Amino acid sequence: LKHYVSVKEYAAQKIQSNDQWVCLSQLYGKESGWDSTAVGNLGGNALVYGIPQLKNKLMIGLDQYSQIDYGLKYIAHRYKYDKHGYINACKAWQHFKKKGWH
């Protein structure tokens, strides 16, 4: 039997830091409610998709686990890593709280 891992458990395992997990959980909770089918509007014709609310329409066809992978790659690219070497979801969360997007 395969062990079922929820998307939140998967994200926590991928990010590896409890502190960064808390920030990621808040970020994705606010952005998409962890809904892999979520579509957001940035204004005008700019739409964002999936759990990480990325501009890439590729998110539409991806499963929720792949969306987490892409979202974490985006955060690592944009916000780098914290002082312990973990993907800096807390920096992304702080940016979101200030600007309403990350």
Side-chain angles (χ1 to χ4, degrees), residues 15-46:
I15 205 158
Q16 298 180 330
S17 161
N18 189 57
D19 292 339
Q20 295 299 333
W21 157 245
V22 169
C23 293
L24 184 71
S25 181
Q26 292 173 323
L27 177 65
Y28 286 174
K30 284 287 187 186
E31 284 202 315
S32 65
W34 290 88
D35 180 357
S36 62
T37 64
V39 178
N41 189 324
L42 296 176
N45 293 328

Side-chain angles (χ1 to χ4, degrees), residues 2 57 87 93 96:
K2 291 183 178 180
K57 286 185 179 182
I87 294 171
W93 174 233
F96 180 88

Side-chain angles (χ1 to χ4, degrees), residues 4-98:
Y4 174 76
V5 178
S6 75
V7 70
K8 289 182 181 181
E9 289 172 318
Y10 179 78
Q13 289 172 6
K14 294 291 281 190
I15 205 158
Q16 298 180 330
S17 161
N18 189 57
D19 292 339
Q20 295 299 333
W21 157 245
V22 169
C23 293
L24 184 71
S25 181
Q26 292 173 323
L27 177 65
Y28 286 174
K30 284 287 187 186
E31 284 202 315
S32 65
W34 290 88
D35 180 357
S36 62
T37 64
V39 178
N41 189 324
L42 296 176
N45 293 328
L47 298 177
V48 288
Y49 307 94
I51 295 168
Q53 292 290 277
L54 298 180
K55 290 180 188 178
N56 193 333
K57 286 185 179 182
L58 173 69
M59 291 295 111
I60 295 170
L62 294 179
D63 64 73
Q64 58 191 356
Y65 303 101
S66 297
Q67 288 184 13
I68 294 300
D69 291 339
Y70 271 90
L72 291 175
K73 285 178 189 176
Y74 172 81
I75 291 171
H77 175 75
R78 182 170 172 93
Y79 301 100
K80 309 300 181 217
Y81 296 83
D82 69 9
K83 64 183 178 181
H84 303 290
Y86 298 111
I87 294 171
N88 205 337
C90 290
K91 194 169 181 182
W93 174 233
Q94 291 303 317
H95 189 274
F96 180 88
K97 290 194 296 185
K98 289 179 187 172

